[in-house]
Amino acid sequence: MTTPPAHTEHDIRRFFGRFAAHNTEKHGAPDRLMAYRMDLLHRYGQFKPTDVVLDVACGDGKHLFALDGHIREGIGVDFSEGMIATACRQIGNGYQSSFSYRTDNARKLETIPDASVDVVMCTGALEHILDKQAVLDAAARVLRPGGRFGCLTLNDGFLW
């Protein structure tokens, strides 16, 4: 699939909506990369069994599903309806029922109440979002006092 330039949120939503049906790891060996990412998330996220974790721009939900058994509740949001549909199809396939996925814009997080989550994570997605500061502001709004934010990005030079 050719990656077209993205100038608006509509461009990005359209790309990831098409990509959802063919979502495969593009950055190397899937199992090795997943293990590496999850090691980083566990190390820095310091997940607790009582945590409510929000995965911003969750895509197909794989990073949140990998926390199954380590957290109390997982919420995944993405503005691609195709990606959310893919994640929702996985619920009930051996994953805990305390996972939910919903369509929401990372810049606003309108479906997430203020001070309602312990950890906000964003894995391999912030670099695709046009207004990064709005995402950080929304994450700060939904975090409980003492909450944690973790971001993994492939291209930190582009991000910052």
Side-chain angles (χ1 to χ4, degrees):
M1 178 181 284
T2 305
T3 305
H7 302 288
T8 67
E9 285 187 352
H10 177 73
D11 295 339
I12 297 168
R13 184 179 291 116
R14 184 176 54 228
F15 172 78
F16 282 102
R18 287 192 333 250
F19 182 71
H22 311 286
N23 192 17
T24 58
E25 181 61 61
K26 304 290 187 211
H27 304 293
D31 292 341
R32 193 176 117 259
L33 285 170
M34 185 64 161
Y36 175 71
R37 290 176 190 142
M38 293 315 298
D39 178 59
L40 289 172
L41 288 170
H42 279 286
R43 188 176 329 150
Y44 296 107
Q46 301 176 3
F47 301 110
K48 300 175 189 136
T50 56
D51 280 344
V52 175
V53 176
L54 172 65
D55 188 358
V56 173
C58 68
D60 64 7
K62 68 180 168 248
H63 295 102
L64 192 56
F65 281 131
L67 295 176
D68 187 32
H70 298 277
I71 61 174
R72 178 171 57 94
E73 181 182 350
I75 305 163
V77 298
D78 199 290
F79 76 172
S80 166
E81 292 176 5
M83 286 294 190
I84 291 298
T86 299
C88 286
R89 282 193 292 273
Q90 298 303 312
I91 296 175
N93 290 342
Y95 295 109
Q96 62 182 343
S97 61
S98 61
F99 286 143
S100 64
Y101 291 89
R102 53 188 87 152
T103 304
D104 198 344
N105 189 315
R107 291 182 309 106
K108 299 176 184 173
L109 300 177
E110 292 175 320
T111 65
I112 310 299
D114 293 356
S116 64
V117 299
D118 302 293
V119 179
V120 174
M121 65 182 205
C122 185
T123 306
L126 195 58
E127 64 268 26
H128 300 294
I129 299 171
L130 298 174
D131 188 350
K132 293 157 187 53
Q133 186 61 53
V135 174
L136 298 175
D137 292 343
R141 178 185 60 77
V142 303
L143 279 170
R144 290 185 175 127
R148 300 163 319 274
F149 175 80
C151 177
L152 299 180
T153 181
L154 294 171
N155 188 347
D156 65 339
F158 173 77
L159 178 61
W160 302 116

